[in-house]
Amino acid sequence: MAVSKFNAATSVVDWAKSDAYHNSFLIPNDEVLDFVVKNSVDQGLPDIAVSPAQGKFLNLVAQSIGAKRILEVGTLGGYSSIWMGRALSEDGVLVTLELNEHHAKVARENFTKAGLDDKCKVVIGPAYESMTSLQPRIPFDLVFIDADKRTYPKYFAEAKRLVKKGGIIIVDNVVRYGQVNDLSVGDIDTIGIRELLAYIKEDKEIEATTIATVGERAFDGFLYAIRK
Ligand code: SAH
Ligand code: DHB
Ligand code: MG
């Protein structure tokens, strides 16, 4: 586990406590999300959803832009989908792409519990194939990329095709405990993030920044991009 350069004593425990403190003011207790987390754990899904604070951030972004059409790459149990789905107006829709049938099944249960059945649709299959087969009449307002990191450059290129001009693409896990900037780390997923950064550097139609975060999800970050 990487530690803060500014305070070597700072650990994920403190970061989680800090999140809990802030959340106690900003994020009300939520029976539905508690169910979603428990149902996902009980059914053996890995504990890798976004944190509550990050979920709320995604919700606020979606609200800010009045998102009516959201695309998500990587559903898991639908925790982040529900945060974003709650920002949709009556006629809004969220399409979320998931390879694992069991994850998709749990996500659908969770959408039912959240009352979002009619707005949140899971598409099962390899996300890249699902994306390339999408030919939406109206482009998406927001895309959230959070599946296998090795495929991020391809997901991002497709997200760019599918999002409207002025639309937003957010990418999870672009810092990876500082492994992305540590060139001695050479696993295929870390390389995927570096390739995404290199791609964006050359792409004049994308303006982006990374916001690194510490919190209960440790040292990681969101890449936030606007498609020009
Ligand atoms: N966005 C979720 C977490 C997603 S975890 C949340 O915050 O709640 C990543 C998910 O991507 C897992 O469910 C995994 O099964 C899925 N995944 C991995 N590779 C994939 C692929 N090639 N196509 C689609 N989904 C994939
Ligand atoms: C992993 C994947 C994620 O999307 C995440 O946010 C954290 C961890 C993983 O595959 O380990
Ligand atoms: Mg993630």
Side-chain angles (χ1 to χ4, degrees):
M1 172 60 55
V3 292
S4 163
K5 166 179 175 181
F6 303 107
N7 177 1
T10 303
S11 73
V12 68
V13 177
D14 304 284
W15 300 335
K17 272 193 197 160
S18 176
D19 261 8
Y21 181 80
H22 283 260
N23 293 348
S24 74
F25 295 93
L26 305 175
I27 305 183
N29 289 332
D30 190 316
E31 223 178 83
V32 168
L33 290 175
D34 290 348
F35 171 90
V36 166
V37 169
K38 183 171 187 309
N39 188 36
S40 303
V41 170
D42 287 352
Q43 300 207 49
L45 271 53
D47 180 21
I48 56 174
V50 296
S51 70
Q54 291 168 335
K56 176 122 187 222
F57 176 77
L58 294 171
N59 175 283
L60 293 172
V61 170
Q63 284 193 59
S64 304
I65 63 170
K68 283 187 182 302
R69 299 177 51 82
I70 301 174
L71 177 65
E72 177 176 66
V73 183
T75 313
L76 193 64
Y79 182 83
S80 53
S81 327
I82 289 169
W83 271 112
M84 292 187 286
R86 284 174 167 180
L88 291 168
S89 53
E90 271 315 305
D91 55 341
V93 63
L94 178 143
V95 177
T96 181
L97 311 178
E98 176 56 56
L99 179 61
N100 182 302
E101 288 189 22
H102 178 60
H103 295 182
K105 180 199 85 109
V106 174
R108 284 176 178 144
E109 291 169 12
N110 291 338
F111 294 158
T112 302
K113 177 73 180 184
L116 287 168
D117 263 340
D118 50 344
K119 287 185 187 160
C120 294
K121 300 293 175 197
V122 190
V123 177
I124 298 175
Y128 185 66
E129 277 68 28
S130 300
M131 289 178 98
T132 54
S133 68
L134 287 175
Q135 302 289 348
R137 251 181 327 111
I138 311 167
F140 289 92
D141 304 305
L142 171 65
V143 183
F144 178 52
I145 300 177
D146 189 20
D148 52 315
K149 317 309 168 200
R150 65 196 67 186
T151 318
Y152 270 14
K154 288 165 75 178
Y155 293 151
F156 194 89
E158 276 301 289
K160 199 187 143 190
R161 179 180 71 81
L162 293 163
V163 81
K164 71 178 183 189
K165 282 199 162 64
I168 292 168
I169 305 171
I170 297 176
V171 187
D172 194 23
N173 310 116
V174 297
V175 171
R176 290 171 72 82
Y177 321 109
Q179 289 176 0
V180 171
N181 70 283
D182 178 353
L183 299 184
S184 72
V185 177
D187 68 278
I188 189 169
D189 291 307
T190 302
I191 289 171
I193 311 267
R194 288 187 197 128
E195 286 176 356
L196 172 65
L197 293 170
Y199 172 106
I200 292 173
K201 183 178 184 184
E202 299 304 324
D203 190 331
K204 300 295 167 253
E205 292 171 338
I206 295 291
E207 235 185 300
T209 191
T210 291
I211 294 297
T213 51
V214 289
E216 64 189 75
R217 289 296 172 219
F219 175 28
D220 214 321
F222 277 162
L223 184 124
Y224 183 106
I226 290 183
R227 195 249 192 269
K228 304 215 294 180

